[in-house]
Amino acid sequence: MSQQSRTRPSGSTTALNEAYDTALLDLDGVVYAGGEAIAYAVESLNTARDNGMRLAYVTNNALRPPDTVAAHLTELGVPADPADVITSAQAVSRLIAEQLPRGSRVLVIGGEGLRIALRERGLEPVESADDDPAAVVQGYGGPDLAWGRFAEACYAINHGVPWFASNTDLTIPSARGIMPGNGAAVEVVRIATGAEPQVAGKPLPPMHRETILRTGAEHALVVGDRLDTDIEGAFNGGVDSLLVLTGVTDAAELLTAEPRHRPTYVDLDLRGLLTGQPEVTDVAHAQAADVSEAGGTTGAFGCGGWAAYVSAGALVLDGEGAALDGLRALCAAAWTDAGDGSCARDAGKALAKLGL
């Protein structure tokens, strides 16, 4: 099934860690949250790797360099090398290096991860708009990034210097909750200058290209928790994706996903890498035959012991079984009903039946 026409999660008779050669894993909300490993992540990743799957960690967070991320993963119990980590800082540095001569000065608005990545590409990080930069690059600088750094960016951009951004995620998770991400900081500079940056991070192609170049993946599976970065990035890159429900995306948001945000597979957590995925099938249902008269689409969709369909303006779920199978069936009903758009049907009662 093509991603453009996806109307239901796919099934797989083969465990995903055997069906794909490389997992391209997001970090926050997938492997860890607030710096601590998410339940089942460590054992699932170690088993997948031991069974021959390559693990690559792909993050839009440009603050921490790969060696720091790899050390953190190793400390959590998932051995990793710096080469296993791909960051938006690396992707944006490649993008800049393709447009500027080697040795060019680049004004850095962000953290050490950006500076290291720029030096890898033969570019010189500088700190002031008075240093005659040939470009400005903006990446997440952490909660202590001074407001004056945005002013430096504006001074240079207003003099015609091209502007690059590692990513535009508006928020980032922390141990205390959700806080502003690099996208929020980019908006500050955008409003002040009226300029538009060239962006490298997920879901845009430069990040996917960087990942494939560094991993050599031939049959990759993107694993993430965000529809608008991880899953859309997989869609743009033409590869399959697994959404795990351990991060920012909840069941209600998943049901409203438009085509580019619909994952190939859905699972609760990273244990989904180690199993096959059940098929969602068309099923006969007594009420499904007449739902078109009540404002719905004809047809019902089954997974496990559940049947899902649209009736009287709402998503309806009948049966019993594992909650995740019910959600998969609801995805098929919602996405089929929405077509190329976003499902606006009421899913409250159906999701309550699943405890989601």
Side-chain angles (χ1 to χ4, degrees):
M1 181 183 297
S2 72
Q3 290 177 302
Q4 285 78 6
S5 62
R6 180 168 303 285
T7 56
R8 67 188 69 186
S10 291
S12 175
T13 57
T14 305
L16 299 185
N17 68 295
E18 298 174 3
Y20 298 88
D21 66 357
T22 306
L24 308 178
L25 296 129
D26 185 44
L27 289 170
D28 289 308
V30 176
V31 179
Y32 52 66
E36 298 298 322
I38 288 172
Y40 308 109
V42 171
E43 50 266 54
S44 297
L45 292 172
N46 285 331
T47 299
R49 186 191 60 244
D50 291 345
N51 288 341
M53 188 179 220
R54 173 159 188 196
L55 306 180
Y57 303 95
V58 185
T59 177
N60 264 359
N61 190 330
L63 178 60
R64 299 195 299 170
D67 58 349
T68 302
V69 176
H72 181 202
L73 288 167
T74 301
E75 181 181 342
L76 291 177
V78 185
D81 294 324
D84 298 326
V85 180
I86 300 94
T87 72
S88 62
Q90 294 170 322
V92 76
S93 295
R94 186 186 296 271
L95 190 63
I96 296 169
E98 290 173 342
Q99 300 179 39
L100 297 179
R102 189 175 180 84
S104 295
R105 294 181 174 185
V106 180
L107 173 59
V108 176
I109 312 300
E112 189 61 20
L114 273 176
R115 295 180 180 85
I116 291 173
L118 288 168
R119 293 189 188 104
E120 286 180 350
R121 291 289 158 201
L123 301 167
E124 180 184 350
V126 297
E127 302 302 315
S128 171
D130 296 334
D131 291 330
D132 194 27
V136 177
V137 64
Q138 188 171 359
Y140 182 64
D144 297 325
L145 186 67
W147 188 261
R149 302 307 298 154
F150 304 144
E152 290 298 324
C154 293
Y155 299 148
I157 294 165
N158 284 333
H159 280 90
V161 175
W163 176 29
F164 297 80
S166 64
N167 67 297
T168 53
D169 296 33
L170 290 174
T171 61
I172 189 169
S174 75
R176 296 177 61 192
I178 299 298
M179 61 183 186
N182 191 55
V186 166
E187 285 302 307
V188 171
V189 177
R190 190 200 310 269
I191 291 169
T193 63
E196 290 290 335
Q198 295 185 52
V199 183
K202 296 182 286 187
L204 298 175
M207 187 67 170
H208 184 73
R209 180 181 59 151
E210 188 73 22
T211 301
I212 298 302
L213 287 172
R214 288 180 178 269
T215 64
E218 296 182 357
H219 191 38
L221 177 70
V222 169
V223 184
D225 70 309
R226 299 182 72 122
L227 301 181
D228 60 350
T229 54
D230 305 316
I231 306 308
E232 184 176 343
F235 178 91
N236 290 338
V239 299
D240 289 345
S241 60
L242 167 66
L243 178 78
V244 291
L245 300 176
T246 48
V248 301
T249 300
D250 60 18
E253 183 181 358
L254 178 60
L255 295 180
T256 65
E258 55 190 87
R260 70 178 188 269
H261 292 162
R262 296 172 187 169
T264 312
Y265 312 106
V266 181
D267 222 306
L268 292 175
D269 51 54
L270 286 177
R271 288 176 294 179
L273 279 176
L274 308 179
T275 66
Q277 297 286 310
E279 291 283 350
V280 179
T281 60
D282 299 311
V283 297
H285 193 280
Q287 289 179 261
D290 299 320
V291 293
S292 60
E293 297 178 8
T297 50
T298 300
F301 306 89
C303 188
W306 299 100
Y309 54 94
V310 175
S311 180
L315 287 165
V316 180
L317 186 67
D318 292 335
E320 59 183 14
L324 189 58
D325 286 342
L327 178 59
R328 293 176 176 125
L330 282 170
C331 284
W335 298 349
T336 299
D337 181 71
D340 292 333
S342 176
C343 183
R345 307 290 186 180
D346 180 14
K349 290 183 178 179
L351 291 176
K353 187 175 290 189
L354 299 175
L356 297 174

